[in-house]
Amino acid sequence: MRKILLGAIIGLSSMSASAAITDYLSVMSLGDAYLQASADCGGSCDAQLAADLAAAGYSASDIIAAVIASGVSPVSVIQSAASAALEAGISVKDIMAAVIQIDGVSAIDAIAGVTQAAVANNVPVSSVMQAGIAAGIPAEVIVAGVVSSGQSSTVVTAAAASVGFSSADIAKGIALASGTTTSVISVALDEDSNTTPPATSPF
């Protein structure tokens, strides 16, 4: 999955589109065509499919949306795409601006996926929150997304306070996360539920 998402997020291209995927696209939706073409190669040609779709004129958002439509968890897709993009030197702000526009991705899933990628790449949670603010996402939704990513209440509260969120917004976000079904496993909001912290300060 990482290869197709890396290809999509940085605009991977090739000289010509695959005959197989092109044939499928003439009779199927993009998501169905991707699913069928990926199945044909046993899931081992995702990078080439990304290149083929890019060469056929599909955008990174189109390609990622197709992966989601094929049944992959939106949070997993966004986490993989964001990790690949961070490793390619793309900023969290630019990543957030891109993923929030993708069909099938809720704001909470976008925040959760980017947060997971950020923490894994030693990027502060507060940077994800600032990127969410820049993308026009409401404060309580940003908090809910970070909570849904698996961060502890301590990390969430400290990061939210550092970017200027009010106590009311933090409380609303935590409540929203507890009542929202997302593609990630819910976690208890206490110190015992904290994930392994990154090498740098999480906030």
Side-chain angles (χ1 to χ4, degrees), residues 2-191:
R2 286 289 301 280
K3 289 182 179 179
I4 187 173
L5 295 169
L6 177 59
I9 206 75
I10 64 175
L12 180 66
S13 63
S14 69
M15 294 302 292
S16 61
S18 161
I21 191 72
T22 300
D23 289 345
Y24 288 138
L25 287 169
S26 67
V27 295
M28 298 178 179
S29 68
L30 176 58
D32 288 343
Y34 165 78
L35 185 60
Q36 185 61 59
S38 182
D40 288 347
C41 66
S44 63
C45 59
D46 285 344
Q48 185 58 48
L49 288 176
D52 291 344
L53 290 171
Y58 290 96
S59 69
S61 293
D62 291 334
I63 297 168
I64 294 173
V67 178
I68 292 170
S70 74
V72 180
S73 158
V75 173
S76 295
V77 172
I78 296 307
Q79 188 274 330
S80 292
S83 286
L86 287 169
E87 290 168 12
I90 299 173
S91 72
V92 173
K93 182 178 178 180
D94 287 345
I95 293 167
M96 187 67 71
V99 300
I100 200 66
Q101 301 298 322
I102 299 170
D103 289 341
V105 175
S106 70
I108 288 179
D109 283 350
I111 293 289
V114 173
T115 300
Q116 289 177 350
V119 170
N121 285 275
N122 298 322
V123 175
V125 170
S126 58
S127 295
V128 177
M129 291 184 169
Q130 290 168 338
I133 294 168
I137 302 171
E140 64 269 23
V141 176
I142 294 172
V143 171
V146 175
V147 170
S148 296
S149 78
Q151 301 308 299
S152 73
S153 58
T154 300
V155 169
V156 173
T157 300
S162 77
V163 299
F165 290 168
S166 69
S167 296
D169 285 335
I170 296 169
K172 287 178 184 177
I174 291 172
L176 179 60
S178 66
T180 301
T181 300
T182 64
S183 303
V184 294
I185 299 172
S186 296
V187 294
L189 294 176
D190 56 41
E191 278 304 299

